Amino acid sequence: MMGRFSQRSYEKEIMDDLEFEGPVLEQSLKELRTINKLLGGNKVTTTGLDFIMKKYPQENYLIADIGCGGGDMIRVMGDWAKKKNIKCEFIGIDANPNTIEFAKERLNDLDHVNFRAQNVFEDSFEKEQVDIITCTLFTHHFTDKELLRLLSSFISKARLGIIINDLHRHRLAYYSIKLLTRLFSKSPMVQNDGPLSVLRAFSKQDLQLLIKSSNIKTPQIKWFWAFRWQVIILTP
């Protein structure tokens, strides 16, 4: 990758504004749900769950979905667990209180989910233990320095493992999502943040360096179509 694709961009996305709210936010979250489903992003997380749960079988699991957005991945994981007859409880965590309210409304039919507006860099974040941490399209929002701190707190918080589902920074991914959002998106936020999120995302080397700097010894890094990375970190 050359030029603008050779290094991660740190340009802020519109979604990074924690005050963002209203119809534009709701439209954006709905479109992101559709994009994630159509491009196969959901299986990156569910196959990670399958891997960790087979390695560490137990009667039930407490899963924290960090940067939960509108709760789409919690719905996906809940449906997956139900089909597998696996008992799971979920905590949806997002720093934007407006997003949390939207997620509560969308998932109000589920009784095994709790939501909270919380900044992951607060000292209180890692005090509550969970079995598994998941995060989808979340880690690219942070600088490498912030990610090192974030990974450290994730490791302290998760008893069994961590599943990171995020984008591969690649020329084809960038121009594809730029075209898709221009043609089909009605949300200015999605049209801006979709391509920008690819520029803020990761090469395999980026991930390897972050893992090495975090002193994590047994990561699993796997590529999925369409341009997704799955990182599994076992924490016991």
Side-chain angles (χ1 to χ4, degrees):
M1 293 178 291
M2 301 296 290
R4 70 192 306 186
F5 301 100
S6 61
Q7 293 183 324
R8 295 186 61 209
S9 169
Y10 290 145
E11 182 182 344
K12 290 293 186 182
E13 298 177 38
I14 297 173
M15 188 175 285
D16 292 323
D17 180 0
L18 300 182
E19 302 297 321
F20 202 70
E21 61 181 333
V24 176
L25 174 63
E26 293 188 17
Q27 177 68 27
S28 301
L29 292 172
K30 289 176 182 177
E31 289 186 9
L32 289 172
R33 176 174 73 245
T34 302
I35 291 170
N36 202 38
K37 183 177 180 179
L38 289 176
L39 296 183
N42 294 341
K43 67 182 179 182
V44 179
T45 298
T46 55
T47 57
L49 287 177
D50 192 56
F51 177 82
I52 293 176
M53 290 177 178
K54 283 179 177 176
K55 191 167 184 66
Y56 303 115
Q58 53 189 50
E59 289 187 7
N60 51 66
Y61 297 87
L62 178 59
I63 300 171
D65 189 43
I66 312 299
C68 66
D72 302 323
M73 190 53 68
I74 292 176
R75 173 80 70 182
V76 168
M77 292 190 289
D79 290 345
W80 175 87
K82 188 175 182 179
K83 289 178 182 177
K84 295 276 188 178
N85 199 28
I86 300 171
K87 293 181 180 179
C88 294
E89 294 185 14
F90 298 94
I91 303 171
I93 297 174
D94 200 286
N96 187 333
N98 303 307
T99 301
I100 287 294
E101 289 306 311
F102 180 70
K104 284 180 179 179
E105 186 177 319
R106 288 196 59 250
L107 273 67
N108 63 7
D109 58 311
L110 302 182
D111 58 7
H112 56 290
V113 182
N114 290 306
F115 288 101
R116 65 189 59 157
Q118 184 178 29
N119 189 312
V120 292
F121 293 105
E122 293 174 356
D123 292 338
S124 60
F125 170 72
E126 62 187 67
K127 290 181 180 179
E128 181 185 20
Q129 293 277 290
V130 298
D131 294 310
I132 299 171
I133 283 178
T134 63
C135 52
T136 301
L137 303 181
F138 177 70
T139 50
H140 72 262
H141 288 274
F142 302 97
T143 66
D144 290 354
K145 184 178 180 180
E146 289 169 334
L147 283 173
L148 290 174
R149 182 180 170 191
L150 196 62
L151 285 171
S152 177
S153 66
F154 280 5
I155 290 168
S156 297
K157 188 178 182 69
R159 287 185 285 258
L160 303 180
I162 301 157
I163 303 164
I164 297 172
N165 173 352
D166 218 321
L167 298 168
H168 177 194
R169 188 178 72 255
H170 191 281
R171 187 182 303 273
L172 181 56
Y174 174 81
Y175 288 110
S176 296
I177 198 67
K178 194 175 182 69
L179 178 62
L180 283 171
T181 54
R182 185 174 294 176
L183 291 175
F184 300 110
S185 175
K186 297 178 182 179
S187 165
M189 186 173 83
V190 171
Q191 290 176 12
N192 177 81
D193 288 4
L196 179 55
S197 64
V198 177
L199 296 178
R200 297 182 68 177
F202 307 94
S203 67
K204 188 171 186 178
Q205 185 180 31
D206 293 332
L207 294 172
Q208 290 171 332
L209 287 172
L210 278 168
I211 294 296
K212 184 178 181 180
S213 299
S214 300
N215 295 317
I216 296 168
K217 297 178 181 179
T218 57
Q220 175 176 296
I221 302 174
K222 188 175 180 181
W223 189 89
F224 281 73
W225 177 260
F227 296 97
R228 289 292 182 98
W229 293 115
Q230 178 197 70
V231 181
I232 298 176
I233 299 166
L234 302 178
T235 55

